[in-house]
Amino acid sequence: MNHPISLAVIGGTGVYKLAQLDDVQTHEVPTRFGSPSGPVRVGTLLGQRVAFLARHGEGHSLPPHKVNYRANLAALQQIGAQRVLALNTVGGITDAYGPRVLACPDQLIDYTWGRISTICEEEGSEVVHVDFGHPYSPLFRSKVLAAARVTGVKLVDGGCYGATQGPRLETIAEIARMRRDGCDLVGMTGMPEAGLARELGLDYACLAIVANWAAGCGDAGEITLAEVLANVEAASTGLPELVGELARG
């Protein structure tokens, strides 16, 4: 790399490239955990070098439980990124998290199962026990909030992200349980990504893009892909400016 990478962004459903990323170079990055979801695109955004990786693949070919989260994070680390902003398309549960809201959660509950959730999986690996009380890096998260203020992007500060297995959406009863548990948002990719980032020593924060009300919440009817993608596009209009400002910080 000619210049250090200031920031890496992982795109979720509906975000398969980073708008306004110029002078893009494509990197195929093999890792000790296998291949990531696709190529890492590195370019310039508002004068800063930024890396982008589509979590589900650029053609959305990978369901949440099949994403190689370890390889994705390792690939970003190998090209020099130390800060990772995760874009997660989610459903809203509580009143402040309706469709087209952007949120920066500060807590997390993991309901997933059967996913490789640690870098300590292989025989002979060093066993690490990382502190995960605050699942998102507090200092980096504060910089995300500061970047939103500077750029005028409306962002809800805080909230609990509940990570479910997918790829199916949740039942009304499951969402009611999550509400009782304290979840404000529901998505399928928040874990093991956040935990792996901590094990790898990466600064990591989530920017949750609310695409729809979760089952039984708000005015939720049948959730359609067209609705989800339209809401993601509308909520994402300020993302390039926010990401560019964050990359400068």
Side-chain angles (χ1 to χ4, degrees), residues 27-162:
H27 300 269
E28 302 288 347
V29 189
T31 80
R32 67 187 188 276
F33 303 117
S35 299
S37 297
V40 180
R41 311 288 186 181
V42 179
T44 303
L45 180 65
L46 302 181
Q48 303 298 317
R49 296 294 284 170
V50 175
F52 179 84
L53 175 64
R55 182 185 290 112
H56 298 280
E58 294 179 347
H60 199 98
S61 58
L62 295 168
H65 66 294
K66 290 291 189 181
V67 172
N68 191 337
Y69 297 93
R70 299 195 301 174
N72 285 352
L73 290 165
L76 296 175
Q77 188 176 54
Q78 284 173 211
I79 65 169
Q82 285 300 311
R83 301 187 299 164
V84 177
L85 179 66
L87 306 181
N88 295 84
T89 300
V90 301
I93 297 176
T94 54
D95 291 346
Y97 301 87
R100 304 194 176 190
V101 163
L102 288 177
C104 190
D106 59 354
Q107 274 301 325
L108 180 61
I109 298 177
D110 187 9
Y111 300 94
T112 65
W113 50 269
R115 304 181 183 188
I116 298 178
S117 59
T118 177
I119 63 172
C120 310
E121 180 76 10
E122 286 73 24
E123 185 175 351
S125 300
E126 179 186 0
V127 178
V128 294
H129 299 282
V130 294
D131 186 291
F132 204 53
H134 298 282
Y136 305 106
S137 307
L139 179 58
F140 183 41
R141 192 178 160 278
S142 71
K143 291 184 177 181
V144 175
L145 296 170
R149 288 192 295 270
V150 168
T151 55
V153 174
K154 188 175 181 181
L155 192 60
V156 177
D157 178 3
C160 181
Y161 178 123

Side-chain angles (χ1 to χ4, degrees), residues 7-32:
L7 177 70
V9 178
I10 299 177
T13 298
V15 186
Y16 308 115
K17 62 180 181 179
L18 192 58
Q20 299 183 24
L21 192 66
D22 297 323
D23 303 320
V24 176
Q25 298 176 346
T26 298
H27 300 269
E28 302 288 347
V29 189
T31 80
R32 67 187 188 276

Side-chain angles (χ1 to χ4, degrees), residues 208-234:
I209 306 169
V210 184
N212 54 271
W213 285 113
C217 301
D219 57 358
E222 183 177 351
I223 300 167
T224 67
L225 181 60
E227 171 196 4
V228 166
L229 295 179
N231 287 338
V232 169
E233 182 178 4

Side-chain angles (χ1 to χ4, degrees), residues 61 197 200 237:
S61 58
L200 289 167
T237 55

